[in-house]
Amino acid sequence: MSDSYGSLPAAQAALLGAQLFDNSPDCMKLLDADGRLLAMNRNGRLGMEIDDFSALQGQRWLSLFPDESREAVGIALEQARRGGSGRASAFCPTMRGTPKWWDIVVTPLGGANGQLVAVSREVTAQRRLEQERSHLLGEVQAANQRMNDVFKQAPAFMCILRGPEHVYEMANDRYYQLVGQRRLVGLPAREALPEVGGQGFFKLLDQVYRTGEPFVGNNLRVALQREPGAPLEERYVDVIYTALRDAKGEIYAVLSHGIDQTHRRQAEIALHESRERFEKIVSQAATGVVEMDVAGNITLVNQKFCTMLGYTEDELLGTWIIDITAPDSVQKTLAAVESIVAEGRGRAVEKHYRRKDGSLMSATSSVNALRNAAGETHGLVAIVLDTTDSKLAAEALRASEERYRTLFDSMDQAFCVVDLHLDANDQPTGWTFLETNAAFSVHSGLADVVGKAHSLPSAPHVWWLESVRKVAKEGGNLRYERYVQGLGRWLDVYLTRIGEAGSTKVAALFRDITERKTAEEQLRRFAGDLEEADRRKTDFLATLAHELRNPLAPIRSGLGVLRLNRDATPAMARVREMMERQVTHMVHLIDDLLDVARISGGKLNLRKGEVALGPILASAVETSLPLIEAARHELTVEVPDDELFVHADATRIAQVVANLLNNAAKYTPPGGRIALSLRREGLEAVVAVSDTGVGIPEHALQSVFEMFSQVGSESERSQGGLGIGLSLVRQLVQMHGGSVLAESAGPGAGSRFTVRLPLLLKDAASASAPVSAAATEADAGSGLRVLVVDDNVDAAVTLAMILDVDGYATRVAHGGQEALHMVTEFVPAVVFLDIGMPGMNGFETAEAIRRLPGIAQPCLVALTGWGAEHDRARSAAAGFDHHLTKPVELGTVQALLAGLAK
């Protein structure tokens, strides 16, 4: 203590320290080195509300503090023990539980006993003030945030412009939407919105900032550049400028807020323009226009309606519509008005108006409801068409038609008018009977056909269709006699086109001449049998000749290739394969005839072996594929993963399947579907061929397998062939111990042929099957580049092969799109182009080639069966350089190419 109180005697120093300790306004405690309470001054006991200190004496001072305060106080004690001064701010309630906050300082007392002095000053009031201040500050900040949120999210545009320069302090999203997403905050208004200068808004801001008087403006036009570099955009706004004052009442900013009314203003302008157009249309309309309220009182009329009835506009306005309605139309008019007002749906009213002179006017009134924005009917508008003249003309026409109909129906000759339906190639697809007389039903057996459309799929072999097409296309008259199998009668038919060229309407007059033909037939009775036999022979030979004639042209081309090039090149291999396909086709026809004879005579020998059916089906598909593809059929083949084996003649079974596929292809309309499947059922292999073709009548399901049988064998229904294919199928299948079944739901429902053969349990490794060699492609020659385009595969390939042998570099395409691709990739010097291709035809392909950019244009040569002068002119217009007519001579092609090569 002597160090603290200088030269005071120890007794005086102790007395002074005791007085200071006891009289200090703070709470002072004397602690031992362990922090235990040794003494506490009077003010400390009062502040801590301690009645008896002796109860606390010797306790640890830290025990008086709650847990959350002990750490901070403990650190201060530790600092004092180390000779320093420890400080802390801590919460410690009094002994009676009064909550108090204290600022605490702990210092060492000095001496060897390590006593400490702790001084606690109550700061509860100060603490509460700080808490209240913090709370108030938080509320102010929250209020400011709320105001800021309101400012930013307000449905109106808002901004604050500070100072006389109107510097943007803040702006909400609506304001940015108005002026465009540009930089604003921190910039003067004149700098941020330079395009607004001269529009009066800055002067208004200056005025409000200077005077403090607010400004209110409605529908103000402002031109803004809402995007950089964009033209000025016209907007319309309602805006208020309000001065903002500080605590001293001085103006420091202007608040601008308002609503963008552009859409409303544009709607008002559009409405005005719409009304203007409506008034112009109504005033100049060629029909009468009347507008009424829901009670039927006229509120608007145009000049045409006034002229119709002979009234002036002033005379009609306010008039009840019934007052100008004829008595016979009053009830229907009232009913129509009531219905339209109640239901809101428009309707047409046939009625009579009464003119000013008392005469009646026939009219058709198309009446509709007028609705307000709420969808409520508030009036009616009628478009009135004067039908007086048309009604008179209709009456005259009805009288004329009645006279015509009387004569028409009294005829004993059948009469009809047909409207023919043609496709893009002028081929008939159907027809509609426009008119018939009573005798038509008697002679044709058809009733109730007028106005009904008929299509080819439902009646594919109509005997008179081709002759009607010819008359419709060529005009003129056509007369012929024909026996109609379906009617069992002979008819004398006279056809003539109705209308000018291009009309598809044809009138037909025909009469029954069966009796005359019967009489004529009696004259030939004795020669009938001989003629019939001769006819059968002639038909058979003609059919056979027709079937054998088709392969001759490509065979001739193939022989030409062999004559030109004797080297064994890949091109020669392709020619050989083509010749094999065509020769095989011819041989199959001849073999069918021979096979039937052999089977009938018991001379056909089968070369049976253990064969797998999968490769046999593949061979049959390869044989029939040209016929299937020519008819654009979709073929699906379904075979099992595991091979099925039979003891059979592989060639004969392939012949069976190929005959069934050919039969399906021939008797299915173009673009049909054919399915070939193979499956196992028990100990049998089941091969099925189904199609979406013409179908088979129920009564013919068994007879289709008879010799020379064809479904619908009349000439107009024949699809080609000798009528022996299915008979041969059944006999060959039966010779293999199998069976064949024909199924059909009837005409137009397709058919299904199912072949069943006994299975042979055999491993795939030991089975033999026919193997077809794949043709290899020959490299293009080094001569002139030539592209051949033809959808007829054999025709295109044979021509290309001939050119290959001649030393030209060739490519082949079978369609327009493929040709365009090859022109850009192959870059030919010459293109031989077929005209009649499906899809993109030759004319379209030529025009497309001429439009191709960045290529050397080739010489285009048209190959077509059309050779008239106008055909040549059309090919020249499409961009062709030469026009050759099929079948073209090889020498002509060679001469043309030789000239181009030079």
Side-chain angles (χ1 to χ4, degrees):
M1 295 294 292
S2 59
D3 293 337
S4 300
Y5 299 103
S7 59
L8 287 177
Q12 291 180 352
L15 178 61
L16 178 60
Q19 289 178 349
L20 290 174
F21 178 83
D22 196 51
N23 293 320
S24 173
D26 298 322
C27 176
M28 297 188 67
K29 285 79 61 181
L30 181 63
L31 308 175
D32 63 12
D34 294 329
R36 300 179 184 276
L37 287 167
L38 300 178
M40 183 180 292
N41 68 348
R42 182 174 59 85
N43 286 330
R45 292 194 299 273
L46 292 175
M48 285 295 294
E49 296 181 332
I50 298 172
D51 297 329
D52 183 9
F53 178 74
S54 62
L56 298 176
Q57 195 169 17
Q59 290 187 15
R60 291 186 179 274
W61 179 44
L62 279 179
S63 66
L64 302 180
F65 291 89
D67 292 341
E68 64 268 20
S69 299
R70 289 179 183 174
E71 182 178 358
V73 176
I75 292 173
L77 279 172
E78 186 61 31
Q79 290 174 342
R81 290 191 185 101
R82 295 178 180 178
S85 178
R87 295 181 178 273
S89 179
F91 171 76
C92 183
T94 67
M95 300 305 295
R96 297 177 184 174
T98 303
K100 290 187 179 183
W101 279 87
W102 309 87
D103 279 349
I104 301 170
V105 178
V106 184
T107 58
L109 187 58
N113 56 8
Q115 291 182 341
L116 306 172
V117 175
V119 180
S120 301
R121 177 169 294 171
E122 183 184 355
V123 293
T124 303
Q126 179 183 351
R127 186 77 175 190
R128 287 175 177 169
L129 288 175
E130 290 177 353
Q131 289 178 341
E132 290 177 1
R133 177 178 174 277
S134 177
H135 176 71
L136 290 174
L137 180 60
E139 289 186 346
V140 170
Q141 290 174 342
N144 287 339
Q145 184 62 42
R146 288 194 296 273
M147 289 300 296
N148 189 54
D149 292 343
V150 170
F151 182 85
K152 287 185 176 297
Q153 299 174 13
F157 64 79
M158 300 176 71
C159 70
I160 295 177
L161 303 163
R162 181 178 288 274
E165 296 299 320
H166 313 305
V167 176
Y168 281 97
E169 185 173 278
M170 59 191 307
N172 69 350
D173 292 342
R174 290 287 185 177
Y175 193 84
Y176 279 105
Q177 291 175 10
L178 173 66
V179 302
Q181 300 297 325
R182 65 175 87 185
R183 180 189 170 195
L184 294 176
V185 175
L187 295 178
R190 288 178 171 83
E191 181 181 345
L193 303 176
E195 71 272 21
V196 179
Q199 300 185 43
F201 290 93
F202 296 146
K203 290 183 179 180
L204 292 172
L205 285 172
D206 292 340
Q207 178 181 329
V208 173
Y209 188 83
R210 184 178 66 256
T211 65
E213 294 295 327
F215 169 78
V216 178
N218 294 311
N219 276 334
L220 299 183
R221 178 187 173 279
V222 58
L224 294 166
Q225 188 179 43
R226 304 180 74 195
E227 293 184 9
L232 294 180
E233 185 176 338
E234 190 176 73
R235 311 295 293 180
Y236 293 89
V237 296
D238 292 345
V239 67
I240 299 175
Y241 292 152
T242 305
L244 300 179
R245 300 177 185 270
D246 58 19
K248 297 179 181 180
E250 299 292 334
I251 297 175
Y252 72 92
V254 175
L255 170 65
S256 171
H257 64 97
I259 301 294
D260 185 353
Q261 299 286 13
T262 303
H263 294 303
R264 188 198 70 188
R265 180 61 178 166
Q266 289 174 343
E268 291 173 350
I269 294 173
L271 177 61
H272 174 77
E273 293 174 350
S274 175
R275 288 175 177 171
E276 183 73 14
R277 287 195 301 272
F278 173 74
E279 291 176 0
K280 294 294 184 183
I281 292 171
V282 168
S283 64
Q284 300 175 14
T287 57
V289 180
V290 186
E291 188 174 318
M292 301 165 282
D293 60 22
V294 293
N297 298 311
I298 297 175
T299 58
L300 179 147
V301 292
N302 69 344
Q303 185 56 47
K304 181 65 176 180
F305 188 74
C306 296
T307 303
M308 285 178 176
L309 299 185
Y311 289 97
T312 65
E313 182 179 355
D314 291 338
E315 289 174 329
L316 288 175
L317 291 178
T319 300
W320 190 27
I321 193 67
I322 299 302
D323 292 339
I324 55 173
T325 299
D328 65 343
S329 300
V330 169
Q331 290 303 319
K332 68 167 62 176
T333 301
L334 290 174
V337 171
E338 181 180 353
S339 171
I340 295 170
V341 171
E343 301 175 4
R345 293 196 299 269
R347 58 185 296 182
V349 181
E350 299 288 339
K351 61 176 292 184
H352 292 101
Y353 286 93
R354 188 177 64 240
R355 297 189 179 97
K356 187 175 182 179
D357 61 7
S359 63
L360 299 183
M361 180 187 77
S362 297
T364 299
S365 295
S366 298
V367 190
N368 282 280
L370 297 175
R371 296 182 176 85
N372 56 25
E376 301 169 339
T377 300
H378 67 88
L380 305 170
V381 63
I383 307 300
V384 182
L385 178 65
D386 185 351
T387 59
T388 303
D389 293 338
S390 62
K391 288 283 181 67
L392 294 175
E395 289 295 333
L397 179 61
R398 275 196 294 271
S400 175
E401 288 180 344
E402 185 64 28
R403 292 192 297 271
Y404 165 74
R405 175 57 61 182
T406 301
L407 175 63
F408 187 61
D409 288 337
S410 64
M411 295 169 53
D412 61 355
Q413 292 180 309
F415 179 79
C416 67
V417 177
V418 176
D419 186 7
L420 197 61
H421 308 164
L422 301 176
D423 62 16
N425 296 319
D426 287 336
Q427 294 303 311
T429 61
W431 68 95
T432 300
F433 287 108
L434 301 181
E435 196 169 2
T436 64
N437 67 349
F440 175 83
S441 298
V442 175
H443 289 295
S444 68
L446 301 175
D448 191 26
V449 295
V450 174
K452 296 180 179 179
H454 302 263
S455 59
L456 283 181
S458 62
H461 305 294
V462 179
W463 57 269
W464 46 265
L465 202 56
E466 178 56 31
S467 56
V468 170
R469 186 196 70 82
K470 180 178 180 181
V471 171
K473 297 303 297 181
E474 300 177 3
N477 305 319
L478 178 64
R479 184 166 188 169
Y480 61 92
E481 297 176 352
R482 185 182 182 90
Y483 180 74
V484 182
Q485 186 74 33
L487 299 177
R489 301 175 184 176
W490 278 92
L491 297 180
D492 180 12
V493 182
Y494 176 80
L495 303 174
T496 185
R497 185 176 68 194
I498 298 176
E500 301 297 329
S503 171
T504 57
K505 297 180 178 61
V506 175
L509 183 68
F510 57 95
R511 60 191 179 93
D512 189 346
I513 57 171
T514 304
E515 292 183 0
R516 192 194 77 190
K517 285 292 184 180
T518 301
E520 293 174 353
E521 182 65 22
Q522 289 175 352
L523 299 176
R524 297 185 295 271
R525 180 181 304 169
F526 297 108
D529 292 340
L530 179 62
E531 290 176 353
E532 176 65 16
D534 185 62
R535 186 188 65 79
R536 288 177 179 269
K537 179 193 68 175
T538 301
D539 287 348
F540 176 79
L541 293 177
T543 302
L544 180 60
H546 174 76
E547 294 294 339
L548 295 177
R549 192 179 297 116
N550 289 334
L552 293 179
I555 290 176
R556 182 177 61 185
S557 297
L559 292 173
V561 174
L562 294 177
R563 286 195 300 271
L564 291 172
N565 189 350
R566 300 178 182 275
D567 296 332
T569 64
M572 297 298 291
R574 292 201 301 273
V575 170
R576 185 172 60 256
E577 291 177 3
M578 180 279 301
M579 293 179 66
E580 288 173 352
R581 286 199 304 270
Q582 297 299 334
V583 170
T584 299
H585 186 127
M586 296 168 59
V587 170
H588 280 173
L589 293 173
I590 299 172
D591 284 348
D592 281 353
L593 291 172
L594 296 177
D595 287 341
V596 170
R598 289 170 182 164
I599 292 173
S600 299
K603 299 179 180 180
L604 179 67
N605 296 320
L606 297 180
R607 292 183 289 273
K608 291 185 178 182
E610 300 167 351
V611 294
L613 284 175
I616 292 177
L617 264 62
S619 175
V621 169
E622 183 178 10
T623 300
S624 302
L625 198 57
L627 182 59
I628 295 172
E629 291 179 339
R632 305 188 306 279
H633 296 318
E634 176 188 340
L635 173 64
T636 59
V637 180
E638 183 179 352
V639 296
D641 294 334
D642 297 331
E643 195 61 83
L644 301 181
F645 301 95
V646 294
H647 186 68
D649 186 329
T651 301
R652 296 303 180 181
I653 297 302
Q655 181 181 0
V656 166
V657 178
N659 279 358
L660 292 178
L661 289 173
N662 291 343
N663 189 72
K666 289 192 294 183
Y667 286 92
T668 298
R673 296 188 302 275
I674 300 174
L676 170 63
S677 66
L678 171 64
R679 68 182 187 275
R680 174 175 182 164
E681 285 187 7
L683 297 178
E684 290 183 323
V686 180
V687 179
V689 177
S690 60
D691 60 63
T692 58
V694 299
I696 305 172
E698 183 177 358
H699 64 82
L701 286 175
Q702 293 301 320
S703 63
V704 293
F705 294 108
E706 296 176 0
M707 187 71 68
F708 305 117
S709 173
Q710 290 182 317
V711 176
S713 60
E714 64 269 30
S715 60
E716 66 270 19
R717 291 182 58 89
S718 176
Q719 301 295 322
L722 306 178
I724 62 175
L726 291 180
S727 174
L728 188 59
V729 165
R730 182 172 65 176
Q731 294 182 71
L732 287 174
V733 170
Q734 289 176 346
M735 291 177 70
H736 283 82
S739 64
V740 61
L741 174 67
E743 299 172 284
S744 176
S751 59
R752 179 183 181 90
F753 289 83
T754 304
V755 174
R756 295 177 178 272
L757 297 171
L759 275 173
L760 176 66
L761 301 180
K762 187 67 178 177
D763 294 334
S766 63
S768 61
V771 179
S772 60
T776 61
E777 292 189 4
D779 294 334
S782 59
L784 195 69
R785 294 184 177 220
V786 180
L787 174 63
V788 180
V789 185
D790 198 323
D791 63 313
N792 185 319
V793 177
D794 286 339
V797 170
T798 52
L799 178 57
M801 289 178 180
I802 292 172
L803 298 179
D804 272 343
V805 173
D806 279 347
Y808 297 102
T810 64
R811 292 288 188 274
V812 174
H814 302 301
Q817 292 293 342
E818 185 182 0
L820 292 178
H821 176 73
M822 284 202 174
V823 166
T824 58
E825 183 180 87
F826 179 53
V827 193
V830 182
V831 178
F832 287 97
L833 184 56
D834 181 32
I835 298 299
M837 296 187 296
M840 179 183 283
N841 63 33
F843 294 126
E844 296 168 339
T845 304
E847 292 170 350
I849 290 174
R850 292 306 187 205
R851 292 195 299 269
L852 288 175
I855 66 167
Q857 284 291 332
C859 174
L860 298 184
V861 182
L863 280 179
T864 174
W866 304 99
E869 194 60 37
H870 68 274
D871 297 317
R872 297 178 181 274
R874 185 178 178 188
S875 66
F880 284 99
D881 300 295
H882 300 277
H883 186 106
L884 300 181
T885 304
K886 291 180 178 179
V888 64
E889 293 291 336
L890 178 60
T892 303
V893 174
Q894 291 172 329
L896 174 63
L897 291 176
L900 293 174
K902 293 178 182 179

